[in-house]
Amino acid sequence: MTGLGTFLGQRLVERLHQTETPPAIIGLDIRRPLRLHERLSFCEVDLTDPTADVRLADILQRERADTVVHLAFRRFPSSDVDYDHDLETLVRLSLLSACATPKVRRIVVQSTTMAYGARKDNPNFLSESHPLRGHPDAHNVQNRVEVEATLADWAKRHPDVQVTVLRHCWVMGPHWFDRVTEFFERSRIPTVLGYDPLMQLVHERDLLDVFERCVLEPHPGVFNVVGRGVAPLSTLLALAGKTNVPVPRPVLYRTAWLASQGGTGDPPSGFFDYLRYLWVADGARGWREFGEPVYSTTEAWSAFVSSRRLRRYL
């Protein structure tokens, strides 16, 4: 498993450790998370190193690993765009090269429905077969598109390996923290004047349920992992008691330029276009495969909002 320092990585290890027959887990990262100290074997690997594929192949073969879970993706895009690209795209070359050597039989990769792109000509629901058009001003989204393209090509050349890609929408919950939740923790939310798109969310628990099943069971293919239902952005903000601050697009994008470039290295459109256009994914295939999610979009949002309010009193 890569990405041990992420929420998904840590919680997934904890869940697998509590199963009736816990699998042996080998963590791959540059440092071992303290909370997982006794729950897995650990191999220190810099996945961006040019020789990482040789090291990875040796580890996978020595440990006789049959499943690889790739979670080493940025929750907070950095202004170091080149490093982010190395981490999120070049790593997949090393990882896939290594997986071909010891005959790993299952690969599970995290992705995002943001890869479909936020565009005015999107259909009401984006299925897994819809092209990944990404967003030219969101480098982390473009990285995911590149990763998926490489993975799809690799899977065709290695039909004996079960490849699972889980595209999840924005995640909400008591413990999930990333750039999106950081933005929505504000009491005043800037939005694009004249736009009120339907939003789609998934609860952290439902996402973990799907990842756990894909690690323990064969579920090859690409799946959208989303909560039931959608809600207008304005409705979610009203439910949370947050102040909606609509700003004309040219003004919003201009005033947010410096903060966006300094924080993520991207223009503001790389984020705010996702609060402007429709990018709702069709979750039917995932629900048929993994069952109904416990939380709807509004319930996932409520769990996020209530947990943040509670923290004020702790």
Side-chain angles (χ1 to χ4, degrees), residues 57 60 69 90 123 164 175 181 191 206 218 255 269 298:
L60 295 177
V69 185
L90 296 184
T164 302
H175 306 102
T181 58
T191 58
D206 288 321
T255 55
S269 57
T298 53

Side-chain angles (χ1 to χ4, degrees), residues 174-185:
H175 306 102
W176 186 273
F177 186 62
D178 62 8
R179 182 192 178 194
V180 175
T181 58
E182 182 183 55
F183 174 81
F184 282 113
E185 284 177 351

Side-chain angles (χ1 to χ4, degrees), residues 61 83 89 110 114 128 144 211:
Q61 196 157 17
Y83 179 78
T89 63
Q110 177 191 11
M114 293 180 74
E128 287 84 352
R144 299 294 183 94
F211 266 95

Side-chain angles (χ1 to χ4, degrees), residues 20-239:
E20 186 174 343
T21 307
I25 305 172
I26 303 100
L28 306 174
D29 215 326
I30 56 175
R31 65 180 63 87
R32 181 201 297 265
L34 293 177
R35 65 184 295 168
L36 301 180
H37 182 69
E38 298 178 352
R39 303 195 179 197
L40 47 71
S41 300
F42 179 76
C43 296
E44 183 179 340
V45 182
D46 183 354
L47 296 173
T48 62
D49 189 282
T51 62
D53 57 336
V54 177
R55 169 89 166 126
L56 287 169
D58 178 65
I59 293 170
L60 295 177
Q61 196 157 17
R62 184 180 69 244
E63 302 291 346
R64 292 184 291 180
D66 65 353
T67 302
V68 171
V69 185
H70 184 35
L71 307 173
F73 295 98
R74 289 283 202 184
R75 288 176 298 161
F76 290 86
S78 75
S79 57
D80 191 342
V81 176
D82 290 337
Y83 179 78
D84 281 4
H85 183 268
D86 289 348
L87 177 64
E88 297 194 334
T89 63
L90 296 184
V91 165
R92 100 283 193 189
L93 296 175
S94 297
L95 198 63
L96 292 177
S97 176
C99 287
T101 303
K103 298 298 183 182
V104 168
R105 67 182 178 89
R106 186 179 305 153
I107 299 177
V108 181
V109 178
Q110 177 191 11
S111 190
T112 172
T113 57
M114 293 180 74
Y116 292 119
R119 298 170 183 262
K120 59 183 177 182
D121 61 344
N122 275 341
N124 288 338
F125 291 95
L126 297 153
S127 72
E128 287 84 352
S129 61
H130 194 85
L132 302 182
R133 299 192 287 176
H135 196 296
D137 292 335
H139 74 270
N140 62 314
V141 174
Q142 295 299 94
N143 290 345
R144 299 294 183 94
V145 173
E146 191 174 334
V147 167
E148 283 213 41
T150 303
L151 188 61
D153 181 66
W154 187 91
K156 290 177 183 177
R157 291 183 282 108
H158 298 83
D160 54 324
V161 180
Q162 303 164 0
V163 177
T164 302
V165 178
L166 299 176
R167 295 176 186 156
H168 62 78
C169 59
W170 282 350
V171 185
M172 294 287 164
H175 306 102
W176 186 273
F177 186 62
D178 62 8
R179 182 192 178 194
V180 175
T181 58
E182 182 183 55
F183 174 81
F184 282 113
E185 284 177 351
R186 309 177 187 184
S187 58
R188 297 169 59 85
I189 306 295
T191 58
V192 185
L193 180 65
Y195 294 87
D196 189 21
L198 294 174
M199 304 302 296
Q200 182 180 53
L201 307 170
V202 64
H203 193 279
E204 60 189 43
R205 172 183 164 183
D206 288 321
L207 182 61
L208 278 166
D209 286 344
V210 172
F211 266 95
E212 182 179 353
R213 288 191 59 183
C214 288
V215 172
L216 299 176
E217 308 165 358
H219 295 280
V222 180
F223 302 94
N224 294 329
V225 184
V226 298
R228 274 285 187 187
V230 295
L233 174 60
S234 60
T235 298
L236 294 178
L237 298 181
L239 286 173

